[in-house]
Structures are given as structure tokens and as C-alpha cells.
Amino acid sequence: MAPRRRAEAAPPTTERVRAVYERQAAHYDAVITAAEWLLFRGGRSWACRQVRGRVLEVGVGTGRNLPLFPPEVELTGIDLSPAMLARAEARAAQLARPADLCLGDAQRLPFPDSSFDSVIATLTLCSIPDDRAAVAEMARVLRPGGRLVLLDHVASPLPAIRRVQRLLEPAFLRLAADHLLREPEVAVRAAGLEIQHLRRSKLGIVMRLTCTKP
């Protein structure tokens, strides 16, 4: 008899991702601080330094990037969760940081083509149900010559690490709607963007990526 295959967790729907972040909003900053210190130290600052002009942040969350953007950029932020967005709005007010923050879905961005000089997403693609659709939308709203900046945890190129990620992913999907095996560079190339900078760290599971729209 053939061995029974382990059941895989169903990919989270958009509504389930929204529900997860609605629940997490009150304690998100406290939880993510430790993860950022361990894996992404300096990553947000690096990402925010790469943008210019009219900027869209996809997955603004609680607004952790707001104090890091150059003061001269014109900032728009979008998030799926009303509770997360409310915290971002409070943070923007506290910082006196002008920003147009709105509810929306990264897979169907509510902006015209070629609207932004830069698009940034930090620790965001890992939780979007269709990451390729989201990257295609980010490319659509970029102006020709515009830059997309990504910071995220991704599938490691090391086989042993990837096997561990594959074992852990069902639990992460179930508890946090969080994908561990995403490959953003594949989505970027599929969207027709040209990679400028790609750096991996932490056994290949952390990626910093910038690319441009021809």
C-alpha cells in the first residue's frame, strides 16, 4: 500500500487574511519587534531609503515604516485590515507625517496605471493570497522607470532549510496566514520588471530586492 500523503493546509483566502490581521492588530507591534530584531534588522530603514517621489506602500500595517521614509516623498499607504490601518493613522498623526492612508486589496489596487514613482512592500508578500497578482498590480501602478522595493522572508535556496520551511508552512498558514516558501523574484520577472539588486541573508530566508519598470 502506498504511504498516505500528509494533507497540506489550504491557502488562506483574502477574507481570512483580513480576519487574522484584525485579531493581531492590538499586539502586532510587540510581536513583530522580536522577529525584526532577529531577521530583518535594518531592513525597513534600507527599504525606505530606496524610494522617491510619489510613493505607494502596500501593506502599511500599523505604520512601522512611517518615521523612516524621506520627508520629501509624497506617501500613500494601503492595507487590507481596518484595525491595522487605524493604528497607522494614529501613528501618522503622532508623527505629524502627511500620508494618504486607505483600505484596499493589494491584489486589486484602487489606483490608475502609472500613478507612482516608487512602490514598497515590507513583510507583506508573505501574507497575500496571490502574490503574483499583487506584484503585477504593483508593476501596473508604477510609472515607467519607477522602482519596486521588497523586503520579506522567502523560500531558502538551501535544500535542508527549505525542507524545514516546507514542514513548518502548514502551521504558519493555519495560525498566521503566513507563507514560508514564496519566491518574489519569480513574481517580479513575471510582471516584466527588471531586477537591480537582490540580496539574501539568514540562510537565504531574508530577501532585499529592488527592481525597475522598463
Side-chain angles (χ1 to χ4, degrees):
M1 179 180 295
R4 183 175 297 175
R5 295 184 63 187
R6 178 175 54 87
E8 295 184 1
T13 63
T14 299
E15 286 308 312
R16 180 156 175 268
V17 172
R18 190 199 313 271
V20 165
Y21 282 97
E22 288 288 280
R23 291 195 304 270
Q24 289 185 358
H27 56 268
Y28 178 83
D29 286 332
V31 171
I32 200 66
T33 295
E36 290 188 19
W37 188 85
L38 288 170
L39 293 177
F40 304 103
R41 207 176 319 174
R44 288 186 183 272
S45 295
W46 166 84
C48 292
R49 290 196 302 269
Q50 309 307 310
V51 301
R52 59 179 175 79
R54 190 171 184 216
V55 176
L56 171 65
E57 180 175 8
V58 176
V60 68
T62 61
R64 292 178 67 81
N65 287 339
L66 289 173
L68 305 175
F69 285 109
E72 67 273 12
V73 304
E74 181 185 347
L75 183 61
T76 298
I78 189 168
D79 202 88
L80 188 66
S81 161
M84 298 284 277
L85 194 67
R87 291 181 175 269
E89 290 170 339
R91 182 169 269 158
Q94 183 181 33
L95 295 168
R97 166 84 225 196
D100 181 14
L101 304 178
C102 58
L103 282 172
D105 184 349
Q107 300 159 120
R108 291 180 295 276
L109 292 173
F111 307 107
D113 296 355
S114 304
S115 296
F116 297 96
D117 300 299
S118 305
V119 178
I120 179 173
T122 59
L123 314 187
T124 297
L125 282 181
C126 55
S127 61
I128 297 173
D130 189 341
D131 59 320
R132 290 200 182 197
V135 171
E137 279 290 275
M138 295 178 202
R140 178 183 67 78
V141 302
L142 268 178
R143 293 171 180 155
R147 175 179 288 179
L148 172 62
V149 182
L150 300 175
L151 169 73
D152 224 315
H153 64 81
V154 298
S156 173
L158 303 176
I161 303 302
R162 190 181 288 243
R163 282 194 294 271
V164 173
Q165 290 178 297
R166 188 169 291 111
L167 288 171
L168 292 175
E169 182 164 73
F172 274 76
L173 288 174
R174 186 170 57 254
L175 297 174
D178 191 10
H179 295 260
L180 302 184
L181 294 169
R182 289 281 165 85
E183 297 180 306
E185 70 273 28
V186 175
V188 161
R189 292 190 178 102
L193 301 174
E194 298 176 352
I195 293 177
Q196 291 181 309
H197 171 86
L198 192 162
R199 180 190 169 198
R200 291 176 178 269
S201 60
K202 305 295 181 180
L203 299 175
I205 68 173
V206 173
M207 172 179 287
R208 298 182 181 190
L209 188 153
T210 65
C211 49
T212 57
K213 182 175 180 177

